[in-house]
């Protein structure tokens, strides 16, 4: 599929490098346009909880070397998060079958009733996790490990979309959707971008991302069964084909 342009919005680190390589291996031309940058807060999770929940690989990698979960059970939403925790020397006790906030709430079930749960994540964490754990009877504390901001030079892909020159766009979080459309609005081309995406394949990594896109007027064509970039890229390219 020579000349087929697929926009990818992952942070400018190994995640973007891996995404570009994967898209190239699928025979399409990746258009890198990072919509997220990480700003660490320097905050540290509490170590006096019964459960400690990490929701991302980034959060796990930001834990200081001398941090310890104490006697807490360590929970990770997803395999990459669990791998990063274990690489840092923190054995993981629970990874839900469904890699999502609701999946973790379901996996913990009634076990958290009356317990202290520490949730360490970004400043844009889904309320589903906190609401679900609180409804299950947990005493919650949230630590914001990092902020997710839009890089100042982002948005080149919106111009391609506005001109109808983007064949696909792969959104990997609700925030990538919001930042993409905010970048379009800053350029005064949001309406043109929405029209351009009507002729493209739009992929969302999961239902929360899909819901955000649709709420902002973006039709979503592909949501993979597995919430990974690998599955998202493969599904989108199959749809293009």
């Amino acid at each position: 599929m020579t000349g087929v342009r697929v926009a990818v919005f992952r942070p400018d680190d190994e995640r973007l490098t891996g995404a570009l390589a994967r898209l190239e291996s699928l025979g399409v031309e990746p258009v890198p346009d990072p919509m997220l940058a990480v700003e660490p807060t320097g905050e540290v999770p509490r170590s006096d909880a019964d459960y400690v929940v990490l929701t991302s690989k980034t959060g796990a990698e930001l834990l200081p070397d001398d941090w310890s979960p104490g006697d807490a059970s360590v929970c990770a939403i997803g395999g990459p998060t669990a791998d990063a925790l274990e690489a840092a020397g923190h054995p993981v006790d629970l990874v839900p079958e469904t890699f999502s906030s609701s999946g973790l709430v379901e996996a913990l079930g009634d076990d958290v009733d009356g317990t202290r749960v520490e949730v360490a994540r970004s400043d844009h964490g889904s309320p589903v996790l906190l609401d679900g754990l609180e409804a299950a009877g947990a005493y919650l504390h949230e630590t914001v490990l990092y902020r997710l901001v839009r890089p100042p030079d982002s948005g080149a892909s919106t111009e391609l979309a506005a001109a109808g020159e983007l064949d696909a766009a792969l959104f990997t979080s609700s925030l990538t959707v919001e930042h993409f459309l905010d970048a379009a609005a800053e350029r005064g081309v949001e309406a043109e971008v929405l029209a351009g995406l009507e002729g493209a394949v739009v992929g969302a990594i999961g239902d929360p991302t899909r819901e955000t896109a649709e709420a902002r007027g973006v039709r979503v064509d592909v949501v993979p069964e597995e919430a990974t970039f690998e599955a998202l890229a493969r599904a989108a390219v199959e749809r293009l084909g």
Side-chain angles (χ1 to χ4, degrees):
M1 286 187 279
T2 304
V4 174
R5 293 174 169 174
V6 179
V8 56
F9 311 113
R10 308 217 81 180
D12 190 9
D13 55 24
E14 72 279 358
R15 286 167 290 186
L16 182 62
T17 303
L20 300 182
R22 184 58 184 136
L23 288 170
E24 288 172 351
S25 75
L26 292 169
V28 298
E29 178 185 340
V31 177
D33 193 5
M35 288 290 163
L36 298 176
V38 174
E39 287 187 351
T41 63
E43 296 296 319
V44 179
R46 294 175 58 169
S47 56
D48 59 351
D50 299 298
Y51 293 88
V52 175
V53 177
L54 273 296
T55 65
S56 70
K57 178 176 180 285
T58 298
E61 291 173 342
L62 287 174
L63 294 173
D65 292 339
D66 60 353
W67 178 80
S68 169
D71 295 327
S73 296
V74 177
C75 308
I77 297 182
T81 306
D83 291 343
L85 283 165
E86 291 178 343
H90 306 303
V92 175
D93 300 291
L94 175 66
V95 179
E97 290 186 11
T98 302
F99 294 173
S100 67
S101 295
S102 57
L104 180 62
V105 171
E106 182 178 354
L108 288 172
D110 297 330
D111 294 342
V112 296
D113 187 15
T115 67
R116 293 169 295 177
V117 179
E118 168 75 358
V119 177
R121 59 183 187 172
S122 81
D123 64 330
H124 282 84
S126 166
V128 170
L129 180 59
L130 299 188
D131 292 348
L133 292 173
E134 190 169 45
Y139 299 101
L140 293 174
H141 182 268
E142 181 183 23
T143 297
V144 174
L145 297 176
Y146 60 98
R147 299 184 181 89
L148 291 170
V149 300
R150 178 160 62 90
D153 57 349
S154 62
S157 63
T158 65
E159 298 171 10
L160 291 175
E165 297 176 358
L166 198 62
D167 298 290
L170 306 183
F171 295 104
T172 49
S173 69
S174 291
L175 205 53
T176 58
V177 176
E178 294 169 359
H179 284 179
F180 175 80
L181 294 177
D182 289 348
E186 286 181 3
R187 289 165 167 76
V189 294
E190 185 172 4
E192 291 85 349
V193 164
L194 291 173
L197 289 180
E198 286 294 322
V201 170
V202 176
I205 202 165
D207 284 331
T209 304
R210 175 187 58 79
E211 291 166 3
T212 299
E214 292 177 346
R216 293 287 300 263
V218 178
R219 185 206 68 250
V220 174
D221 303 291
V222 172
V223 180
E225 290 186 10
E226 182 184 357
T228 64
F229 183 82
E230 166 79 20
L232 176 62
R234 188 171 57 250
V237 171
E238 287 175 358
R239 182 66 175 262
L240 282 166

